[in-house]
Each structure stands twice: as structure tokens, then as C-alpha cells.
Amino acid sequence: MPQDFSFDVVSKVDLQEVSNAVQQAGKEISTRFDFRGSASKIEWNEKDLALTLTSDDAHKLKSVVDILETRLVKRGIAVKALDFGKLEDAAGATVRQIVKIQQGIPSEKAKEIVKAIKDRKLKVQASIQADQ
């Protein structure tokens, strides 16, 4: 009697760890000398799974991104789960960047994975399960 074996590939981000990393990054930004008197901050919108990074200029925003990425990596969150938007001007001569947290595998990428599996003619059944 043949048995069915299953191997699932799921890409999920632990949102509590993201929240903790954002809080740690915020504390570091508030205590660092090079950000003193700056409008640099990170806002976490858990409902939309988005981070809003704000700073005085593009150079300082790059530093904010580095701090955030360092904290996320230390918390076990892959940096590839971040989808960086474009840099835009904000109020008060500041710049802003929206960073979305990607949950699951995008459907286009999942289709590519299934196609690659089928092209190899392996004896496996590949299926896409919603956004997992």
C-alpha cells in the first residue's frame, strides 16, 4: 500500500518579532548621536503590514533602513520579506519610504515554482494553497 507523503513550503513572517524589532530600532534611533534633533522614526501599521520610515534626508533614511534590517535579522526575520516602496517627499522637508511586509509567496512566484517542478518531470504533485 503506497503512503502519501507531504512537504509544504510556507513563507510566513512572525509579526510579533517584527513589532519587537521595530521597537528596538526606534529606541536605538532615539539614543544615537547622529540622529539627535532629527525627525527620523519608524511607524508600524500591523493592520496593513506596512512600515513607514521617515527621516530628514535620503542619507539618514538609509541609516534608518540599516538599523531596521539589523534588528530584523537579529530577531530571525528574513530581509527578503521586506518590499521597499519608492522614496517620496513628506511634509516639513523630510523624506518617507513605505516598506510592506510580504506574507506568503506571491501567486506569480508560486506559479513559477510549480512550473519548474513540473518541467523536471518528478513524481510529485505540486499545488498552490492561497497565499501560503
Side-chain angles (χ1 to χ4, degrees):
M1 222 190 245
Q3 292 183 345
D4 291 335
F5 294 102
S6 175
F7 178 75
D8 297 332
V9 177
V10 178
S11 173
K12 290 285 184 184
V13 175
D14 186 358
L15 299 179
Q16 183 61 46
E17 290 297 330
V18 172
S19 178
N20 292 340
V22 168
Q23 288 175 359
Q24 285 182 340
K27 284 181 184 178
E28 183 174 341
I29 289 170
S30 67
T31 59
R32 275 185 43 171
F33 178 75
D34 53 339
F35 287 111
R36 198 148 292 154
S38 163
S40 300
K41 63 182 176 180
I42 303 172
E43 295 173 354
W44 169 232
N45 184 346
E46 193 168 350
K47 180 183 171 206
D48 296 334
L49 297 178
L51 298 164
T52 304
L53 310 178
T54 309
S55 192
D56 295 333
D57 55 36
H59 179 67
K60 282 190 179 179
L61 189 68
K62 173 85 170 94
S63 297
V64 170
V65 169
D66 289 342
I67 291 169
L68 177 64
E69 287 178 346
T70 302
R71 295 296 171 199
L72 288 170
V73 168
K74 285 185 179 181
R75 290 244 168 221
I77 305 297
V79 178
K80 288 186 175 188
L82 302 178
D83 182 24
F84 289 92
K86 69 177 197 168
L87 199 65
E88 55 192 40
D89 292 329
T94 59
V95 292
R96 172 178 54 218
Q97 186 172 25
I98 306 294
V99 181
K100 296 215 182 262
I101 305 294
Q102 192 174 40
Q103 286 283 62
I105 300 172
S107 60
E108 305 87 38
K109 189 68 173 170
K111 288 177 184 176
E112 290 177 21
I113 293 169
V114 170
K115 184 179 182 308
I117 291 171
K118 290 188 179 195
D119 287 347
R120 292 192 178 191
K121 300 188 192 271
L122 299 172
K123 293 183 180 182
V124 294
Q125 180 72 26
S127 65
I128 300 171
Q129 297 177 355
D131 65 344
Q132 291 187 358

